Amino acid sequence: MMMKWATFVLGVLLVGVMAFGGTMSLCNYHSPQTNLTNLKLSMSYRYFDDPAVAGVEENSGKIALDYSQLFDSPDYGFTLAGSGSINFDDFAIAAGLGQGSGTFRYYLSEDMPVFGFGGANASYSLGQAKPGVNVSIGVGYGRFNDVTPLAKAVNIQKDLLALGAISDPLSEDTLMAIATEIGKKVEYATIKDLVAAIEPLIEQEAGVTLDARALITVEDDVLATGDSASCGWAVQAGLGYELIDAAGGAQDVLVTISGDASLAPAPGSQMMLHTTFYGPFDIASENTLSVNASYDYALKENVDLIINYQLQRVQPLGGTVTDSQAVTASVSFNIGGAAISLQAGFSKGIGASDWSRGLTISAGMDLI
């Protein structure tokens, strides 16, 4: 059942990335250069010992790390991604899954995002004979954009509406004009110069004069950190070589297919997907599938929901299919001075008949 739900979620993510458009969205903005880096660490641990019962009832935990870097320019780009999770039981490693990939893209045309690429992939799940490592070259199609400037423009509109500085939402053209100026931030000597360039765009559209409080709000939104967002997708195919076979077999020449997708449905939200499928020329009989997906969503100010999903499926030649999966979801928020954190994790290692499940809830409050 969990596998079916995971497949459904990944399918919705892919369709959303490919179909998003038409109406005004963050993905309508196109930046001359994209350079985004993200690193997340999550941990959970639970210990429980009932003196009336022999032994320790619960002594387990999980550590998960997720890293991504995306660079894209008119001439070339690259993507780096890595994720790993380790489950502990009685201070011993009970399950583990790690994935890493890197792709360098060189664009062959100024009019179409066609590129040649070179890349490497590595993956390992506890219980495998060896890690799987391969390199590949080929061609692909697609491009990515840093849409952070438009996300900041939308946040400026939202905050000015909340202040009552403007009475109606800004037009799409004005939002895009504001984003364009924010995207040229490095060309301005100071942030105040940038705000001075944005001010007449808003005042002319809304028919108002922004006061000092409104201008400070604009400046704060421009300077805000942690709101980076990207949109785009790329698919690629080529030939590769197996440096290390995950099943412990012979090294083969490989057929490789991979895809990356990124979608920012709204300011403060980000979906990311990386998937790789490779095998020898008889790919139907022997193959490896790796999937890494994440979803970050700002529920409100200082409240974030983060979901990560990993899958590794290995089909050895003439052998039994094995798969490892891990899902982690966490959310932390503040309600009336109480800090509350919730983390749920599911994992299924090689040979496991069912999913392991974990849930951690914590809360704290200053009473005086």
Side-chain angles (χ1 to χ4, degrees):
M1 179 62 69
M2 181 65 70
M3 182 59 183
K4 292 180 179 179
W5 274 105
T7 304
F8 172 76
V9 170
L10 291 174
V12 170
L13 176 59
L14 272 174
V15 172
V17 171
M18 300 298 291
F20 202 66
T23 60
M24 177 65 172
S25 73
L26 298 185
C27 295
N28 292 137
Y29 179 82
H30 298 284
S31 60
Q33 181 172 296
T34 296
N35 190 5
L36 301 172
T37 302
N38 198 11
L39 178 63
K40 294 185 178 68
L41 174 67
S42 63
M43 297 179 290
S44 64
Y45 175 75
R46 185 172 187 268
Y47 179 89
F48 178 70
D49 183 11
D50 184 350
V53 179
V56 176
E57 284 69 36
E58 183 71 30
N59 182 12
S60 61
K62 180 175 182 176
I63 300 175
L65 185 69
D66 188 76
Y67 171 80
S68 64
Q69 182 175 3
L70 172 64
F71 178 86
D72 207 86
S73 69
D75 296 325
Y76 70 95
F78 64 84
T79 303
L80 300 174
S83 62
S85 61
I86 298 176
N87 290 65
F88 296 93
D89 191 8
D90 290 331
F91 297 109
I93 297 177
L97 177 61
Q99 299 172 340
S101 65
T103 302
F104 179 83
R105 302 180 296 275
Y106 182 79
Y107 290 97
L108 306 175
S109 170
E110 295 183 1
D111 300 324
M112 297 181 63
V114 178
F115 59 83
F117 79 90
N121 283 278
S123 61
Y124 179 73
S125 178
L126 191 68
Q128 279 184 207
K130 296 179 180 180
V133 182
N134 68 81
V135 293
S136 59
I137 58 172
V139 295
Y141 184 94
R143 187 179 284 281
F144 294 90
N145 279 292
D146 179 2
V147 299
T148 307
L150 185 53
K152 289 181 178 293
V154 173
N155 282 332
I156 288 172
Q157 171 187 258
K158 180 192 69 175
D159 290 342
L160 292 180
L161 285 169
L163 276 176
I166 59 176
S167 57
D168 297 304
L170 301 172
S171 68
E172 295 181 6
D173 290 341
T174 298
L175 287 173
M176 196 64 72
I178 295 171
T180 300
E181 295 305 318
I182 295 174
K184 299 188 296 184
K185 184 172 67 173
V186 295
E187 300 178 12
Y188 289 92
T190 67
I191 292 298
K192 293 190 181 300
D193 291 336
L194 173 54
V195 173
I198 295 173
E199 180 183 358
L201 298 175
I202 300 173
E203 292 179 341
Q204 183 176 358
E205 163 80 15
V208 300
T209 299
L210 299 180
D211 58 20
R213 186 183 180 191
L215 293 176
I216 291 174
T217 298
V218 173
E219 182 175 335
D220 289 343
D221 284 333
V222 171
L223 291 173
T225 58
D227 57 355
S228 61
S230 65
C231 281
W233 57 272
V235 293
Q236 50 205 31
L239 295 176
Y241 183 71
E242 202 168 30
L243 299 179
I244 303 177
D245 186 278
Q251 297 165 294
D252 295 307
V253 175
L254 303 173
V255 176
T256 66
I257 304 169
S258 63
D260 293 274
S262 178
L263 173 65
S269 65
Q270 182 73 67
M271 295 180 179
M272 301 286 289
L273 173 67
H274 173 74
T275 181
T276 303
F277 182 69
Y278 63 89
F281 290 109
D282 186 13
I283 196 170
S285 301
E286 182 180 0
N287 56 72
T288 298
L289 171 67
S290 296
V291 176
N292 189 2
S294 66
Y295 177 52
D296 294 9
Y297 179 69
L299 299 172
K300 57 183 299 185
E301 187 176 0
N302 298 322
V303 181
D304 292 320
L305 168 68
I306 302 174
I307 301 174
N308 289 293
Y309 173 73
Q310 293 175 269
L311 164 69
Q312 180 178 299
R313 180 185 183 278
V314 179
Q315 167 67 71
L317 182 63
T320 303
V321 175
T322 60
D323 68 81
S324 297
Q325 298 180 70
V327 182
T328 303
S330 61
V331 61
S332 59
F333 44 93
N334 188 292
I335 299 178
I340 302 174
S341 177
L342 169 66
Q343 183 181 87
F346 304 85
S347 62
K348 182 176 180 293
I350 291 176
S353 59
D354 201 358
W355 289 76
S356 64
R357 296 168 289 273
L359 178 65
T360 302
I361 302 175
S362 61
M365 175 182 289
D366 292 330
L367 298 177
I368 299 178

